[in-house]
Amino acid sequence: MNNKRKTLFVKNLPVIKEKLSQKKVYKYREIINIFSSLKENSQVSQTMTTESFFIQLQQSLSLKTHIVVSNKINKERYSLYDITAYDFVNSLSSDTFFSMTTALNLQGLSKFRDNFIFYSQEQNKKKQVSNKLTQSLIDDAYKKEYRYTNSTAEYSGYYIVFLMPKFSNQVEVVKYKNFKISSINRSLVEILINIQYFKGFESVINNFKPLKNNLNIDKIYSVVERFDLIYPYFQLLGFTLNQIGFKNSELSIFKKKISQFNFYTQKNKKHYSYNKYWKIYY
């Protein structure tokens, strides 16, 4: 008699749980697709509503809801199991990867800025526009204030920062466990490009010095090359790697790419020193 009183949902609870166990984190639309599939297979009542389905999932399977709300990032996700903040952020947008210090921290290489979660989605490939660079344009740009992305949010004790770097066909983006992340070589370039998030150049150097043996000069060069940046970042990377501990004699590929211009490690320092070899104000 008791079995007859059971709803289709209850009868098929093991099947429903199995379907929802396929992934760690679900979008709303993905849950609805599962619900539609269950209806098609007569595994839940045809009269069951979306709202009642979610209520049953919460009551019978402890479905958890994860929400982040800010001016630019408004997302809702669902999971049967406990998830980390990284699992949640990884589900927010398609074709994204963890970048900068977050990529280092996930690998256990660093704890630098570990209260931030940086994740990136490359822009679409664009036609190269010729920009005539002059020393005065560089100087003026580096007297201005930094700009910060508005795509930020707070979640579970972390400050989430979403970035959209130039198209590079995800050069030096690698798989680590279940995540896509920037390699240490790409992370160094990303951090220098976005140094406003990292307490200044000296702080970056101090955090990379212990990681010197993990860095690959040729791969770092390939990242800068693929980014095809307007400013003379080759000489900044050469100077940076020298400060981390590489000899200038090891950095000839960067030395060959030094431009006619002087460049800077960061904006708006009160006093700069100058490195003639790399043509860098630091």
Side-chain angles (χ1 to χ4, degrees):
M1 293 292 291
N2 288 337
N3 286 338
K4 291 181 180 178
R5 296 194 187 104
K6 285 184 177 179
T7 65
L8 282 172
F9 181 95
V10 173
K11 285 180 181 178
N12 291 296
L13 194 58
V15 174
I16 295 169
K17 184 176 182 179
E18 176 63 27
K19 284 180 178 290
L20 284 166
S21 298
Q22 301 304 309
K23 290 176 60 177
K24 271 189 175 182
V25 188
Y26 284 90
K27 300 174 185 177
Y28 176 81
R29 176 48 53 191
E30 291 172 326
I31 298 284
I32 295 304
N33 289 342
I34 290 173
F35 179 46
S36 298
S37 173
L38 291 167
K39 272 194 170 183
E40 288 175 8
N41 294 319
S42 299
Q43 291 170 314
V44 295
S45 169
Q46 298 301 309
T47 60
M48 180 175 255
T49 64
T50 300
E51 183 181 1
S52 63
F53 180 64
F54 271 90
I55 290 170
Q56 287 294 313
L57 290 178
Q58 290 165 346
Q59 292 177 347
S60 302
L61 293 175
S62 299
L63 183 75
K64 299 171 180 64
T65 303
H66 308 271
I67 300 173
V68 64
V69 178
S70 72
N71 290 337
K72 292 287 186 178
I73 303 175
N74 296 280
K75 302 286 186 178
E76 190 168 301
R77 295 292 183 263
Y78 306 90
S79 67
L80 284 190
Y81 310 107
D82 292 332
I83 61 170
T84 67
Y86 297 104
D87 291 322
F88 175 69
V89 173
N90 192 52
S91 74
L92 296 183
S93 299
S94 60
D95 205 26
T96 57
F97 53 93
F98 291 109
S99 52
M100 303 208 290
T101 49
T102 303
L104 302 179
N105 297 338
L106 279 167
Q107 296 175 83
L109 295 172
S110 163
K111 291 186 178 180
F112 188 27
R113 288 306 230 189
D114 60 359
N115 59 324
F116 279 66
I117 297 181
F118 295 101
Y119 71 118
S120 297
Q121 181 183 61
E122 289 193 343
Q123 300 173 32
N124 293 327
K125 190 173 184 179
K126 298 175 183 177
K127 187 176 181 180
Q128 182 64 29
V129 178
S130 178
N131 290 283
K132 190 169 183 180
L133 197 61
T134 66
Q135 189 62 58
S136 61
L137 284 174
I138 296 172
D139 294 340
D140 289 344
Y142 274 74
K143 290 173 185 173
K144 295 177 181 177
E145 294 297 320
Y146 281 110
R147 288 190 291 181
Y148 296 83
T149 178
N150 291 319
S151 296
T152 61
E154 291 185 44
Y155 174 79
S156 192
Y158 290 91
Y159 194 64
I160 298 170
V161 181
F162 176 58
L163 300 168
M164 294 193 70
K166 286 184 67 175
F167 177 83
S168 73
N169 202 25
Q170 295 192 2
V171 61
E172 282 294 298
V173 173
V174 299
K175 199 77 181 284
Y176 180 77
K177 295 184 177 179
N178 294 320
F179 300 129
K180 285 172 68 177
I181 66 170
S182 296
S183 72
I184 185 174
N185 304 297
R186 180 181 175 117
S187 295
L188 176 60
V189 180
E190 291 170 335
I191 289 167
L192 291 174
I193 293 171
N194 298 281
I195 201 164
Q196 64 269 35
Y197 294 102
F198 300 105
K199 301 180 182 179
F201 182 73
E202 291 79 8
S203 183
V204 173
I205 296 301
N206 289 336
N207 279 276
F208 270 92
K209 276 183 177 179
L211 306 178
K212 175 181 176 290
N213 292 336
N214 298 84
L215 293 168
N216 183 297
I217 292 170
D218 291 329
K219 289 181 178 180
I220 292 168
Y221 182 92
S222 72
V223 172
V224 184
E225 188 174 49
R226 192 76 66 84
F227 275 164
D228 195 20
L229 300 159
I230 296 169
Y231 289 127
Y233 273 93
F234 282 107
Q235 63 206 64
L236 176 55
L237 263 298
F239 176 71
T240 301
L241 290 168
N242 176 242
Q243 295 296 299
I244 289 169
F246 290 94
K247 297 176 182 178
N248 283 338
S249 59
E250 298 176 272
L251 303 169
S252 59
I253 55 174
F254 289 98
K255 178 64 173 175
K256 290 174 183 176
K257 296 287 286 189
I258 286 183
S259 72
Q260 61 183 300
F261 305 114
N262 296 315
F263 196 40
Y264 298 79
T265 56
Q266 64 190 80
K267 292 184 178 183
N268 286 323
K269 284 195 70 166
K270 288 184 179 179
H271 304 287
Y272 287 97
S273 298
Y274 182 70
N275 183 287
K276 186 176 180 180
Y277 186 87
W278 291 106
K279 298 179 71 173
I280 289 289
Y281 290 107
Y282 66 98

